[in-house]
Structure formats: C-alpha cells, structure tokens
Amino acid sequence: MVERDADLTKTYDAVIIGSGAAGGMASHVLTTHGMKVLLLEAGKKLPIEQELRSMEWPYDNANRGELPPDRHSLSFNEYTIRRPPYGPGFEKSKHLHSYIGESDYVKNIVVDERENPYTGTNYAWVRARCLGGKTNIWGRLALRLSDYDFKAKDRDGYGENWPISYSDIAPYYDKVDLYLGITGVKENLPYLPDSIFQRPTKLNCAEVTLQQGIKKMGRVLTQYRAGVTSDGLKHNKYRSRCYGRGACGRKGGCDIHAAFDSPTGLIYPAMDTGNLTLRTNATVREITVDQDTGKATGVHFIDSQTMKDYNVRAKAVVVAASTLESARLLLLSKSHRYPNGLANSSGHVGHNFCEHIMGPGIAGRAKDLVGKPPTLDDGRPGGFYLTRFRNLTEKNPGFIRGYGFEGSSGSAMFPRGADTHGFGASFKEEVRRNQGAYIGMGAFGEVLSRYENYVDLDPVVKDKWGVPALRFHYKFGENEHNMAKDMKETAQEMFEAAGFEIMHVSDRVLTEGWSIHELGTVRMGNDAKTSVLNQFEQSHDVRNLFVVDGSAFVNASCQNPTWTIMSLCWRSCDYLVDEMKKGNL
Ligand SMILES: Cc1cc2nc3c(=O)[nH]c(=O)nc-3n(C[C@H](O)[C@H](O)[C@H](O)COP(=O)(O)OP(=O)(O)OC[C@H]3O[C@@H](n4cnc5c(N)ncnc54)[C@H](O)[C@@H]3O)c2cc1C
Ligand code: SF4
C-alpha cells in the first residue's frame, strides 16, 4: 500500500470527507473508475490491531478489559439525569466517553466527549473519529431494505416514499455482498431480501428451539446476517476469513478483519490503485463555494493536531462524515450565496432526523439445557435475527411500521447469568450449570421521520477545534412508545411459545441515539422543496456536491443501515463519474 502526501496545490477530481462505511465506499468506487481522489479524515490512523487485541484473555489485561481508572463511560442514567456536555460531577475522569466506550479495546476509537460537546435534548451520540470511523467496532448485522421500506408511504400513508425502488438498488447490494462478504441463510422473505451469502454460522440449541416455537405464529428467526467473510475474499489481501474466534461478542472489532471495516475492506485496496491520497487529522470545517457559479470548489480543513488551517480544491465534493456530522458541515458552510447553509434552499438540512428505538427485550432460560456440558457457542460473529412481523399483512391498531429482534444464546467466554446470586464455589458452580441455557434478545424499531425532529448549530458552544457544536431537538413520539410496549409483549409471548423460563422482560426505552443508527438529516427526494438530495445523493442546489451517508435516508425502516448506506453510495458514485465524464458537474 503506497501512502502519499496530500498535494494542496492541485485540484483533485474529488475530495471525500470522512473515512467510515460511506467514505470508504466512495474511495473504492471513484478510484476504480480512475478518478484522482483525496480522502480527508478528522481522526488519526490508529494501530488498530494493537487497539483491538481480539485474542487477549481477560486475565492478561490490567483492567480485565475494563477502562483504566482515569476514564469514564456514560451510563444510561448519566444520559438522562445530566445533560451534555457533561459538566459538574465528572471532574475526576480525565477522559469521558459515550456509553459504547466502556472497554479498554475501544477507548482510543471513540471520541472524548469533552473535546466534542453537543447540546440540546438528551441523546446518546456515539462517534468514532479515526480512520474507518464506526466500522472499526460495528456490530456487523448487515441487512437489506425492501419496497416495504422504500415505498412505506404507499402502505400506510405516512411520510414520504424514497425516490428509488428495491430494483434500483438490488444490483448494488449484490456488488457490496460480493466485494465485502456476508454470511447468512436464504429465507425468501419479501420484506427482508436475501443477500448473496457466504457460509452461514449455525444456530445453537436454544436458538433452534425459539425458531421452531415461533414458526407456528408465522414468525421467522434466521442466522445473524453478518458483514463478515466466512469463506475469505480472494481479491482482498488485507482481510482474513473468519476463524470463529468469538471475539466480536466483546465490544471491539476483529483484528484479522474478517468482519468488514472500511480501511481494510475499501480504503487500502483503493490506495493500491494509485489514485487515492489519504490525509488523516484533517477536520473539515467548511465546504467552499464559488459565489458566482454556486458550485463547490473544495474544502477548508484544520489539522486536528497542529490546529493549522488548509484549503484544498476539487471538481466534486463528496460528504461522508456520518449522518449528524454531514448535516453539521452543510450548516457550517454558510456564505453570501447560501445564507442558510449549503444545499439548504429547502430548509430541510438537519430535519427529518430518524433512527431506531431500542431497549425492550427479554432474557430467559431453556431449562432442559441446564447442567449440560458447555459447547463452543461464542465462536460466531453473531447469534440470530428475528425478523419484522408487524404491519406486513395486518394493520396494528397502536402504531405503524415495524421492529425486529437481535439475540443469542449459548456458552460464551464471559458467562451469561453473572447476576446469579451466591458466593464462592457454589456461586461458580451455579454460573457454570446455567450459562449455556441462557437466551436473550432485544428489539430495534423504526423511529418515524418527522420534520420537527432536527439538529442545528449551537450559537455558543464550540468543540476543541473552535467549530460550533451540534444542538439536538429530538424526542421519540407516541408511535415509538406504543411500539415499545408491543415489543415487550411479543417478546414474552414468543419465549412462552418456545417453552423458556422467563427471567427478565422489559419495555424500558433507552435514551434517544442508543441504537447508533442515526439517519435522515439530508434526505433524498424528487421534490427540491422538501428534500436536499436527488435519488443519486446529489444536492438539488449544488450539482457537484454529493452526500453519501445515512443522512440521505428517507425513513429509518427497522433494518440496520450500513449495507444500504454502502449500496446507495456505490450507485451514487457510479452516477457521479458518468456525470463528470459528460461534463455535467
Ligand atoms: C458499537 C456499534 C455497533 C453497530 N452495529 C451495527 C450493525 O450491527 N449493523 C449496522 O448496519 N450498523 C451498525 N452500526 C452503525 C455503523 O457503524 C454505521 O452505520 C456506519 O459506520 C456509518 O458509516 P458512516 O461512514 O456514515 O459514518 P462513520 O463510520 O461514523 O464514519 C464517519 C467518519 O467521518 C469522519 N468525520 C466526521 N466529521 C468529519 C469532519 N468534519 N472532517 C473530516 N472527517 C470527519 C469521522 O471521524 C469518521 O471517521 C454500529 C455502530 C457501532 C458504534
Ligand atoms: S468470530 Fe470471526 S469476525 Fe468475529 S472476531 Fe473472530 S474472526 Fe473476527
């Protein structure tokens, strides 16, 4: 892999902002088409294998895998009781992290909340400012959307349809499957299309029991569709196939890169084309514009370490800083010509913000597995996915749209059921006897896209680099709360149908943002008055500006978004290249 310095005197064909799933995919597609591309990433390039240390045993870690004492990660109550940017009460911790930063393996991947404040309504905002962004630690569940999502308005009258159908994106899902690798089992479900799967993982005993128990209810449980290569990828020398080491269950990623991450999956191969220049520690604070033509001319960035300012020019600007940061960047890019922020003639930048509601879930025990010898169950990159079943054929009286459950069972390196009561040898024996019998699952449901859920710039608070912070105006509504109650009830009825002993069931809703699936702040659409981008994620207002991450989503669906972000991005970048060749940009 050839690393070269950014040449700030030249005009690149394209500059890409952000190196996560979206920025990585844009780098891959544009460089494969021969474009000369500069990729700017605000964070560092970390020695990622040393950070993740996937094979380290707990007893080899000074803190048993927990954070060192000078760091703190926020708990559920700390999000709800104290408001960001987390002032009084946290002085003792030198570094403060979001709830996901609770392990020694992710402490340098997630941001320090104090350096990156935000304000407004409660929101558990998880950010990873480093090469690869959140893909270094993502949960790998890789699902497709269907016309039940793209054309959801046709079904229930709410919101807007997407300007594309499943048939527009299906060929790009196929390309992403083949280029990155995905495991799973075909189910032929119209509302959750199959991928081109590599070798699947196996369900274990309790999971099969649940699968069979709910079949009679017409519900489907399938193997976790993991964005992991189980057979290997001959075209990629940076990634290994999955050896089922089970380390992905621990918060932290895969240090042999069987699980997809953007650097090894997309960016390093793009650098090998000779067409990609990567500049890390480059915090973009504005997209620059020619005030006469209205076109984007490049970007203004700050070196994240030296604080020096730089400008770079490009024929096209591709924004991929993640849903909320991309909206922030457009709002920051105000000028005489664009006084409301760039690409914002509709006034929709920052609005229609949506995601997934989380919290309700269940834990139980398959009693006939108690006392059975342990099996190697955590040697898998995921457990199961219980697919959506609400508002497909019937109309639920309490809410529209749907939800699915993620879950798992079986023996694991860190035994489940550690909340078992007792002391000493008898306690250990109790944990051992039960651990393979536990099964649990939690729901992810669609949060409706609403104009009144939005982000804007805080007029006072700035981050460490002097850039105005984002301010949240975002709350779950009645539809989400009704859905959460239903999640609890259906979880209970399904565990009962499987014959499990129920140990804990909850409809407690976690803080907004907990799902880390933020979407929709720069949505696409056919009408430039109510959307920011067209179906190719190109700005309606500025034709050489593209926004290719989850901000382009029209609704959140209930499926995890990353596979769709990358498929849409591939399609948009193909279009960008075509338009540039035709001289239309
Ligand atoms: C613990 C965890 C579990 C998850 N599980 C799943 C899952 O199972 N399935 C799923 O589909 N998704 C999952 N996700 C979400 C998934 O990681 C995101 O959808 C995906 O990474 C989004 O890609 P992105 O490129 O938009 O953003 P990111 O991956 O966040 O990348 C954005 C990049 O832009 C950079 N950046 C931001 N601002 C600037 C700026 N001003 N200048 C320059 N660079 C900038 C950031 O530093 C970052 O590197 C999970 C996430 C986490 C953290
Ligand atoms: S189970 Fe597979 S994907 Fe997960 S950490 Fe191990 S090798 Fe990586």
Side-chain angles (χ1 to χ4, degrees):
M1 180 177 52
V2 186
E3 295 202 40
R4 57 180 69 73
D5 288 337
D7 179 355
L8 301 181
T9 61
K10 82 181 218 185
T11 301
Y12 285 90
D13 290 330
V15 60
I16 301 170
I17 305 160
S19 69
M25 184 52 79
S27 306
H28 162 62
V29 179
L30 297 180
T31 57
T32 308
H33 283 293
M35 285 178 73
K36 297 291 178 197
V37 177
L38 176 65
L39 171 60
L40 297 176
E41 164 54 50
K44 297 183 203 153
K45 181 180 174 201
L46 291 166
I48 199 73
E49 291 81 13
Q50 289 168 39
E51 294 293 330
L52 298 174
R53 307 189 302 282
S54 307
M55 295 306 284
E56 185 174 85
W57 289 98
Y59 48 74
D60 285 330
N61 184 288
N63 308 298
R64 298 287 186 270
E66 302 286 310
L67 280 179
D70 66 339
R71 292 177 185 256
H72 178 72
S73 93
L74 294 163
S75 67
F76 170 71
N77 282 340
E78 287 163 353
Y79 279 110
T80 50
I81 295 168
R82 297 166 206 249
R83 288 179 170 245
Y86 319 115
F90 292 101
E91 294 84 355
K92 276 191 222 139
S93 307
K94 197 165 154 210
H95 301 284
L96 207 56
H97 300 296
S98 64
Y99 81 91
I100 215 77
E102 65 181 0
S103 95
D104 195 39
Y105 307 102
V106 299
K107 64 180 188 299
N108 296 317
I109 295 173
V110 295
V111 300
D112 188 324
E113 299 286 311
R114 283 210 192 84
E115 292 180 352
N116 297 275
Y118 54 96
T119 64
T121 49
N122 288 331
Y123 195 83
W125 191 12
V126 174
R127 290 157 290 172
R129 278 205 167 192
C130 57
L131 184 66
K134 297 194 288 280
T135 65
N136 290 298
I137 51 170
W138 74 307
R140 309 161 302 282
L141 185 58
L143 302 175
R144 293 187 177 200
L145 270 56
S146 75
D147 280 336
Y148 285 74
D149 308 301
F150 296 126
K151 303 297 172 198
K153 182 182 181 187
D154 289 347
R155 300 176 57 78
D156 57 30
Y158 181 83
E160 296 293 337
N161 284 330
W162 293 54
I164 58 164
S165 300
Y166 181 68
S167 57
D168 295 310
I169 189 177
Y172 290 91
Y173 276 130
D174 290 355
K175 283 173 193 262
V176 172
D177 291 345
L178 294 172
Y179 195 70
L180 300 179
I182 176 169
T183 74
V185 170
K186 282 192 190 295
E187 301 284 357
N188 293 314
L189 304 171
Y191 55 89
L192 184 68
D194 294 320
S195 278
I196 303 172
F197 295 120
Q198 297 190 355
R199 178 175 49 86
T201 55
K202 288 202 171 95
L203 296 175
N204 59 38
C205 201
E207 293 168 350
V208 172
T209 307
L210 181 59
Q211 185 183 47
Q212 288 171 349
I214 63 172
K215 210 180 231 170
K216 49 187 179 274
M217 306 164 89
R219 296 183 189 168
V220 179
L221 180 153
T222 191
Q223 275 85 339
Y224 201 78
R225 295 182 172 179
V228 166
T229 171
S230 49
D231 293 333
L233 297 165
K234 288 206 176 70
H235 57 267
N236 188 317
K237 65 184 182 206
Y238 300 103
R239 297 182 63 197
S240 161
R241 75 176 180 84
C242 173
Y243 283 92
R245 308 168 308 159
C248 20
R250 184 169 75 188
K251 284 207 184 73
C254 173
D255 65 1
I256 57 169
H257 313 290
F260 159 74
D261 58 65
S262 163
T264 61
L266 296 164
I267 294 171
Y268 299 164
M271 288 169 87
D272 286 336
T273 65
N275 293 330
L276 183 70
T277 304
L278 167 66
R279 170 69 153 90
T280 49
N281 287 315
T283 300
V284 177
R285 63 154 301 154
E286 189 183 351
I287 297 158
T288 51
V289 167
D290 182 319
Q291 296 295 315
D292 296 326
T293 64
K295 282 173 34 175
T297 52
V299 305
H300 170 197
F301 71 90
I302 309 164
D303 185 298
S304 314
Q305 290 182 322
T306 65
M307 301 287 189
K308 282 193 183 152
D309 285 297
Y310 297 94
N311 281 300
V312 64
R313 298 180 66 83
K315 293 179 198 157
V317 174
V318 179
V319 187
S322 77
T323 294
L324 291 163
E325 292 288 9
S326 292
R328 181 182 179 201
L329 201 48
L330 295 182
L331 293 171
L332 284 166
S333 303
K334 279 187 194 148
S335 63
H336 183 60
R337 177 143 183 163
Y338 299 111
N340 298 331
L342 194 58
N344 198 18
S345 64
S346 64
H348 276 256
V349 171
H351 290 262
N352 313 303
F353 176 17
C354 51
E355 53 146 349
H356 296 151
I357 183 169
M358 265 182 86
I362 190 162
R365 193 160 49 172
K367 277 186 283 185
D368 47 355
L369 291 178
V370 175
K372 293 278 182 320
T375 46
L376 184 59
D377 289 328
D378 72 353
R380 309 177 291 175
F384 64 83
Y385 185 65
L386 201 160
T387 70
R388 173 180 171 183
F389 48 86
R390 284 296 191 226
N391 294 315
L392 294 173
T393 51
E394 96 300 3
K395 202 172 169 334
N396 190 284
F399 60 92
I400 57 169
R401 310 293 163 95
Y403 58 86
F405 288 91
E406 293 180 32
S408 68
S409 165
S411 307
M413 185 200 278
F414 298 96
R416 280 168 249 247
D419 52 353
T420 308
H421 300 291
F423 297 97
S426 63
F427 167 73
K428 287 184 189 165
E429 178 53 26
E430 195 57 15
V431 171
R432 278 198 196 98
R433 267 170 44 78
N434 282 292
Q435 68 135 333
Y438 287 112
I439 178 160
M441 63 183 191
F444 286 71
E446 175 167 349
V447 175
L448 297 180
S449 157
R450 300 185 187 88
Y451 182 80
E452 55 275 21
N453 268 342
Y454 71 103
V455 285
D456 62 5
L457 299 176
D458 190 287
V460 179
V461 178
K462 294 191 164 83
D463 68 15
K464 183 185 164 189
W465 298 270
V467 182
L470 215 48
R471 182 169 61 174
F472 287 72
H473 309 262
Y474 180 84
K475 280 273 158 232
F476 294 144
E478 197 187 340
N479 199 67
E480 288 79 46
H481 287 292
N482 289 346
M483 188 186 273
K485 286 197 193 84
D486 193 62
M487 290 166 168
K488 176 190 168 186
E489 284 160 20
T490 60
Q492 191 157 356
E493 79 189 10
M494 290 190 282
F495 267 37
E496 279 164 5
F500 296 147
E501 176 195 356
I502 294 174
M503 306 177 75
H504 177 72
V505 58
S506 162
D507 63 1
R508 183 182 77 159
V509 169
L510 289 165
T511 315
E512 284 83 349
W514 210 273
S515 68
I516 328 179
H517 293 164
E518 58 271 15
L519 299 161
T521 50
V522 186
R523 75 176 177 191
M524 56 164 83
N526 290 326
D527 183 353
K529 291 201 187 69
T530 57
S531 62
V532 182
L533 308 172
N534 67 16
Q535 60 158 307
F536 296 104
E537 301 181 302
Q538 177 186 31
S539 157
H540 289 304
D541 301 346
V542 184
R543 65 179 188 273
N544 65 340
L545 177 72
F546 291 74
V547 187
V548 295
D549 53 34
S551 57
F553 278 40
V554 178
N555 55 37
S557 90
C558 67
Q559 286 93 282
N560 307 38
T562 308
W563 230 240
T564 303
I565 291 174
M566 291 194 286
S567 305
L568 280 175
C569 175
W570 195 321
R571 180 173 183 266
S572 302
C573 289
D574 273 356
Y575 174 83
L576 187 162
V577 173
D578 270 0
E579 288 295 285
M580 191 170 271
K581 280 188 191 150
K582 288 180 197 156
N584 290 343
L585 297 187

